[in-house]
Amino acid sequence: MPKRTVIDDGALQRILTAQHQVISRTQALEIGIPQSTVNTWCKADGKWQKLLPGVYLTATGRIAMEQRQVAALLYAGPQSVITGPVAMRLHRLRCPGGDAIDVLIPWTVRRQSIGFVRVHRTRRMPAFSRTGPIRFASPARAVADAAHGFTKLDEVRAVVAEGVQRQACSIAQIGLELTGGVNRDSLHLRAALAEVRDGIRSVAEARFRQRVRNSDLPQPRYNVFLRAADGTDIGEADAWWADAGVSAEIDSREYHFYRDGWLKTDAKHSRMLKYGILPHHFAPTRIDNDWPAVYGNLRSSIHEGRQRPPLRIVAFEALG
């Protein structure tokens, strides 16, 4: 008589509970499931489905993102770590891009990209976080790797601003990932980091700064917090021309998470007027589509402001 297959059902259930119902071929064989049985269960009418070479979902139907993530790590090996856009989302950071999973593996390990998994060999495996069986790179590494995958500067600006504004990582930490060997040739990432160091906190502000730099307007300070001489906190200005007492606000809130605690814009506007500031508010679309009018308004206010005695306003570097 053929030898009866004995499957360790307890071990199987422990694996599936821990791994979102995903199992590798090695794990299946170790608990007594023959490869022939796995093949039968993965047929078109079977109760399992193959996700990647040697990795299976023990259910049919829709595949959840967590199951894809576990499958990617099982396929890439025990030292693998998810990075890039998916890792940013696991850190609860917004990031554009699709659902392909970028996985880092040590330089000495051999794996190929396949299906929904993009494999990246590296000599600098990052520190990582974990949620259940899912390992994902530190925020700074995730941001740096995500930025490397984008071809447009605005997309890179967005992911850098997201990481810094949400205080998931610092400019210095992202910079260390860049200089330490990750994406050493990423010109867009270098440009975005330089902008953030100069006080730029959003894509809209970056476009505004570029417009100002290309014009004959004097250069302002960016993202400063204004306080009156009597100690009253006036609020934050996206751009500040101190010698003229002129401020500009780019009225986009996509990446301005830490302004929600301040009083509403109209109240801040009133405080600015009370202390002699000439405030301006511009929608991001005006920066792109109505720059001559924006330029004219700022030029006129700066000229007007310079005719007055200097305001007694102190400007501090804004946090975040």
Side-chain angles (χ1 to χ4, degrees):
M1 292 181 61
K3 186 176 179 181
R4 183 173 178 271
T5 299
V6 178
I7 300 174
D8 188 338
D9 291 322
L12 175 61
Q13 289 308 312
R14 287 191 293 273
I15 291 171
L16 299 185
T17 298
Q19 296 181 174
H20 298 288
Q21 306 302 307
V22 178
I23 191 170
S24 71
R25 177 192 291 113
T26 300
Q27 291 172 327
L29 296 178
E30 286 175 348
I31 62 173
I33 304 176
Q35 183 62 53
S36 59
T37 300
V38 172
N39 293 341
T40 298
W41 288 349
C42 288
K43 288 182 178 179
D45 57 349
K47 59 181 182 179
W48 286 13
Q49 53 182 312
K50 181 178 178 180
L51 299 182
L52 293 165
V55 184
Y56 314 100
L57 174 61
T58 60
T60 57
R62 180 180 176 275
I63 306 168
M65 176 51 71
E66 294 86 355
Q67 293 167 334
R68 292 178 183 271
Q69 292 163 0
V70 173
L73 293 172
L74 287 174
Y75 166 73
Q79 295 176 281
S80 59
V81 176
I82 293 172
T83 192
V86 172
M88 285 189 63
R89 295 172 201 145
L90 286 165
H91 283 293
R92 301 183 184 278
L93 301 172
R94 294 181 295 181
C95 184
D99 291 331
I101 301 174
D102 294 284
V103 179
L104 295 169
I105 62 173
W107 188 259
T108 54
V109 175
R110 301 292 176 179
R111 288 289 189 280
Q112 292 184 340
S113 299
I114 190 170
F116 53 84
V117 180
R118 293 188 295 232
V119 175
H120 308 272
R121 294 167 60 225
T122 179
R123 290 187 172 91
R124 287 184 69 246
M125 289 298 293
F128 62 86
S129 301
R130 181 190 292 272
T131 175
I134 301 170
R135 302 177 298 274
F136 49 103
S138 65
R141 182 63 176 269
V143 168
D145 285 339
H148 185 64
F150 296 123
T151 59
K152 296 180 180 178
L153 178 56
D154 278 354
E155 293 173 325
V156 177
R157 285 167 168 162
V159 296
V160 171
E162 175 77 352
V164 174
Q165 279 292 91
R166 292 290 294 271
Q167 300 182 337
C169 54
S170 68
I171 302 168
Q173 287 171 323
I174 301 173
L176 285 173
E177 294 293 346
L178 181 63
T179 59
V182 177
N183 310 328
R184 187 182 296 274
D185 298 324
S186 181
L187 297 179
H188 286 342
L189 181 54
R190 291 180 185 279
L193 285 175
E195 290 174 347
V196 175
R197 288 190 186 100
D198 288 345
I200 302 301
R201 294 294 184 265
S202 75
V203 173
E205 288 177 29
R207 290 176 176 170
F208 176 78
R209 185 182 81 153
Q210 192 61 49
R211 290 283 196 177
V212 171
R213 292 178 74 173
N214 291 340
S215 74
D216 60 359
L217 292 172
Q219 297 304 304
R221 290 175 63 187
Y222 292 97
N223 274 282
V224 294
F225 189 82
L226 304 178
R227 180 173 293 162
D230 63 7
T232 299
D233 286 341
I234 298 172
E236 191 173 339
D238 290 339
W240 171 241
W241 286 267
D243 63 337
V246 173
S247 72
E249 185 91 4
I250 312 305
D251 289 328
S252 169
R253 290 295 176 263
E254 184 176 2
Y255 293 101
H256 289 65
F257 299 99
Y258 293 98
R259 297 185 185 181
D260 295 341
W262 297 110
L263 296 176
K264 292 183 179 180
T265 301
D266 57 347
K268 181 170 71 174
H269 185 91
S270 297
R271 289 194 300 275
M272 287 183 169
L273 292 174
K274 176 182 176 180
Y275 288 96
I277 295 171
L278 302 176
H280 292 268
H281 301 268
F282 303 115
T285 53
R286 290 196 63 198
I287 305 305
D288 291 329
N289 303 323
D290 194 25
W291 175 250
V294 172
Y295 165 83
N297 291 340
L298 289 172
R299 188 172 185 275
S300 176
S301 287
I302 292 170
H303 176 75
E304 176 186 345
R306 285 176 167 176
Q307 309 309 307
R308 310 174 300 174
L311 301 180
R312 299 181 62 195
I313 303 293
V314 179
F316 301 91
E317 296 298 328
L319 298 179

